[in-house]
Amino acid sequence: MSFKTISSHMAAQLDKELMGPEVGFTLEQLMELAGLSVAQAIVKEFPYVPSRKSQVLVLAGPGNNGGDGLVCARHLALFGFNPVVYYPKRSSKTPFFSQLVSQLQFFKIPVLGSDDQWIKYLDEKDTLCVVDAIFGFSFRPPVREPFGSVLKELRKVQERLPIVSVDIPTGWDVDEGPLDNESIVPKVLVSLTAPKPCASKIDSLETQHYVGGRFIPGSFANKYGFEPFDYDKGDQVTKLVPT
Amino acid sequence: MSFKTISSHMAAQLDKELMGPEVGFTLEQLMELAGLSVAQAIVKEFPYVPSRKSQVLVLAGPGNNGGDGLVCARHLALFGFNPVVYYPKRSSKTPFFSQLVSQLQFFKIPVLGSDDQWIKYLDEKDTLCVVDAIFGFSFRPPVREPFGSVLKELRKVQERLPIVSVDIPTGWDVDEGPLDNESIVPKVLVSLTAPKPCASKIDSLETQHYVGGRFIPGSFANKYGFEPFDYDKGDQVTKLVPT
């Protein structure tokens, strides 16, 4: 596919600038829009049908990628899906992450911790897809526990249970792509703001590619070396079509 | 139209509960979703056409309704419109309101203050519509300056320049409706979360009615005496059709 990518280093820089004193975005705002866009990608890729299975397992990591997953789960519930969240390592960096958990509980969405059985939800009879919101663009190997085991389980089921990765397929090198043939292969990738270099490796994998996190002006995209993406009307997500 | 409404008193209660310790929403999250939904209503009602006028004048009041307007303006810019914001009385309650202004400046959206000429933007040759984000459900009469003069100007142009009111048409009594025949008549009303009682007075006025602010579960709507609204897929706004 022909699209510009933004390196892990530049993505970190971009985020810092967006939340810096001059631009003034808050984490709460950006995470809300990012999580919403992932939920909208799921609606587009797996349209909700009342009579069909509607369970979505959301795997949330310890950082901001996990936070995007928590927000996504809440919007999925509003869209008629039936999310279950596995959130084994919880951030205490800001109280906002525990507020996101309270919001899920308000929606009566199960939020499983490290002691809970989550593997039973990896059953394609009940589950429509799995959201991989474990690690984002600041991931550096190795994958630590319990997420190493989570990836092992995902590899076992990925042929029959589609994985939707948020920004980065967990375990992939952000700039290089899959590290070995043990890496997971997502059915859907939702890049946030702009694809990271690893996204150019999905060409040969038949992964559907979306861009979400619609919150920067075109001039700012240009400053970071990419073009604004072509969203439809008021959509928060756009599908990239192979060229 | 047949829809349940929620009184100003209950709307205040609902907001307080959403942002209380148990549910844990932040103002930033709710305002982002509310403002986004108003922008999406404008996309639906006035589809953007590249060759056509695209200027939108956003009138922002001093409180949360004004904040929704500031967020709406930013999303309008992302959707291809050309917003101009008039924000004469700025909240210093939380630093977040000045961050919303910084975000607008980041998008190069003009933000006019009390000393700036705003009336020239009330010209239907250039302007597509006016967003009335002046007062919301906590409004109590009388309308103070400069907003009394703003309403006078709006009444002069409303036949040829459509007004989009956010939650409450400014100057209307939240529970009773228009106070006199001097009240403005919006072309579009975007109720947030649920219509307030004054919304039932728009039947005879040919006002298009949307509901946005999609952030509560059905059980919570029921607790406050209304039914969840029927949104399409991942939409953040839904149009109520007269029955």
Side-chain angles (χ1 to χ4, degrees):
Chain A
M1 292 182 212
S2 105
F3 53 80
K4 297 274 182 63
T5 63
I6 174 172
S7 70
S8 56
H9 175 77
M10 291 298 272
Q13 189 66 32
L14 184 151
D15 244 35
K16 199 175 157 192
E17 195 173 349
L18 283 183
M19 289 189 273
E22 209 168 314
V23 181
F25 273 115
T26 67
L27 181 69
E28 283 91 326
Q29 290 180 285
L30 299 183
M31 204 166 264
E32 194 64 34
L33 294 174
L36 172 62
S37 70
V38 176
Q40 288 189 338
I42 291 169
V43 167
K44 283 180 193 285
E45 198 62 28
F46 309 96
Y48 169 67
V49 179
S51 61
R52 207 187 47 184
K53 62 189 174 187
S54 61
Q55 190 164 275
V56 177
L57 175 62
V58 178
L59 305 171
N64 289 352
N65 201 260
D68 295 339
L70 302 179
V71 171
C72 168
R74 174 163 40 82
H75 287 286
L76 285 175
L78 283 163
F79 297 167
F81 294 94
N82 195 14
V84 176
V85 177
Y86 177 54
Y87 189 31
K89 281 198 171 286
R90 306 192 179 186
S91 172
S92 54
K93 253 195 331 195
T94 91
F96 181 59
F97 286 84
S98 54
Q99 287 179 262
L100 287 176
V101 171
S102 303
Q103 292 163 28
L104 293 172
Q105 286 159 345
F106 172 59
F107 276 80
K108 309 218 181 338
I109 297 167
V111 184
L112 309 174
S114 51
D115 293 337
D116 295 311
Q117 283 302 318
W118 67 278
I119 295 179
K120 65 177 174 185
Y121 295 100
L122 284 183
D123 184 335
E124 73 276 15
K125 280 202 303 294
D126 303 312
T127 299
L128 183 66
C129 64
V130 179
V131 177
D132 155 27
I134 301 177
F135 295 123
F137 65 75
S138 45
F139 169 71
R140 297 279 172 281
V143 176
R144 292 181 206 285
E145 286 305 309
F147 300 110
S149 308
V150 170
L151 287 182
K152 258 184 214 153
E153 296 297 332
L154 286 182
R155 279 196 298 271
K156 288 185 207 162
V157 299
Q158 63 185 2
E159 291 299 321
R160 45 186 203 279
L161 192 55
I163 298 171
V164 179
S165 286
V166 178
D167 208 27
I168 309 293
T170 290
W172 286 27
D173 184 278
V174 178
D175 295 322
E176 302 298 330
L179 288 173
D180 48 46
N181 54 17
E182 297 282 88
S183 297
I184 62 166
V185 178
K187 176 83 182 164
V188 177
L189 172 64
V190 186
S191 293
L192 294 175
T193 311
K196 314 305 172 289
C198 64
S200 59
K201 302 295 166 71
I202 64 174
D203 252 2
S204 51
L205 299 174
E206 298 183 8
T207 297
Q208 306 299 308
H209 192 188
Y210 290 82
V211 177
R214 188 181 186 183
F215 36 61
I216 63 167
S219 57
F220 192 72
N222 294 156
K223 177 176 159 183
Y224 279 88
F226 60 95
E227 291 300 315
F229 291 88
D230 194 18
Y231 290 85
D232 191 28
K233 297 177 198 151
D235 276 4
Q236 296 300 295
V237 78
T238 184
K239 189 167 187 171
L240 301 187
V241 180
T243 50
Chain B
M1 292 183 212
S2 104
F3 53 80
K4 296 275 181 66
T5 63
I6 174 172
S7 70
S8 56
H9 175 77
M10 291 298 274
Q13 189 65 32
L14 184 151
D15 244 35
K16 200 176 157 192
E17 194 173 348
L18 283 183
M19 289 188 272
E22 207 169 315
V23 181
F25 273 115
T26 67
L27 182 69
E28 283 89 328
Q29 290 180 285
L30 298 184
M31 204 167 263
E32 194 64 33
L33 295 174
L36 171 62
S37 71
V38 175
Q40 288 189 338
I42 291 170
V43 168
K44 283 180 193 281
E45 197 64 28
F46 310 96
Y48 170 68
V49 178
S51 61
R52 208 187 47 183
K53 63 190 174 185
S54 62
Q55 190 165 275
V56 177
L57 175 62
V58 178
L59 305 170
N64 289 352
N65 201 260
D68 296 338
L70 302 178
V71 171
C72 168
R74 173 162 42 80
H75 287 286
L76 285 175
L78 283 163
F79 297 166
F81 294 93
N82 194 15
V84 177
V85 176
Y86 177 53
Y87 188 31
K89 281 198 170 287
R90 304 192 179 187
S91 172
S92 55
K93 253 196 329 194
T94 92
F96 181 58
F97 285 84
S98 55
Q99 285 178 265
L100 288 176
V101 171
S102 304
Q103 293 163 26
L104 292 172
Q105 287 159 346
F106 173 60
F107 275 80
K108 309 218 181 336
I109 297 168
V111 184
L112 310 174
S114 52
D115 293 338
D116 295 311
Q117 284 301 318
W118 67 278
I119 294 180
K120 66 178 174 187
Y121 295 101
L122 284 183
D123 185 334
E124 73 275 15
K125 281 203 301 296
D126 302 313
T127 298
L128 182 67
C129 64
V130 180
V131 176
D132 155 27
I134 302 177
F135 296 122
F137 66 75
S138 45
F139 169 71
R140 296 281 172 279
V143 176
R144 292 181 205 284
E145 285 307 309
F147 300 110
S149 308
V150 169
L151 287 183
K152 258 185 213 150
E153 296 297 332
L154 287 182
R155 279 196 297 270
K156 287 185 207 160
V157 299
Q158 64 184 3
E159 291 298 321
R160 44 187 204 278
L161 192 54
I163 298 171
V164 179
S165 287
V166 178
D167 207 28
I168 309 293
T170 291
W172 287 27
D173 184 279
V174 177
D175 294 322
E176 302 298 331
L179 287 173
D180 48 45
N181 54 19
E182 297 281 271
S183 298
I184 62 166
V185 178
K187 177 83 180 162
V188 178
L189 171 65
V190 186
S191 294
L192 295 175
T193 311
K196 314 306 171 290
C198 64
S200 59
K201 300 297 166 71
I202 64 174
D203 252 1
S204 52
L205 300 172
E206 297 181 9
T207 298
Q208 306 299 308
H209 193 188
Y210 290 82
V211 177
R214 188 182 186 181
F215 36 61
I216 62 166
S219 57
F220 192 71
N222 294 156
K223 176 178 160 183
Y224 279 88
F226 60 95
E227 292 299 315
F229 291 89
D230 194 17
Y231 290 84
D232 192 28
K233 295 175 198 150
D235 278 3
Q236 296 301 294
V237 78
T238 184
K239 189 168 187 172
L240 302 188
V241 180
T243 49

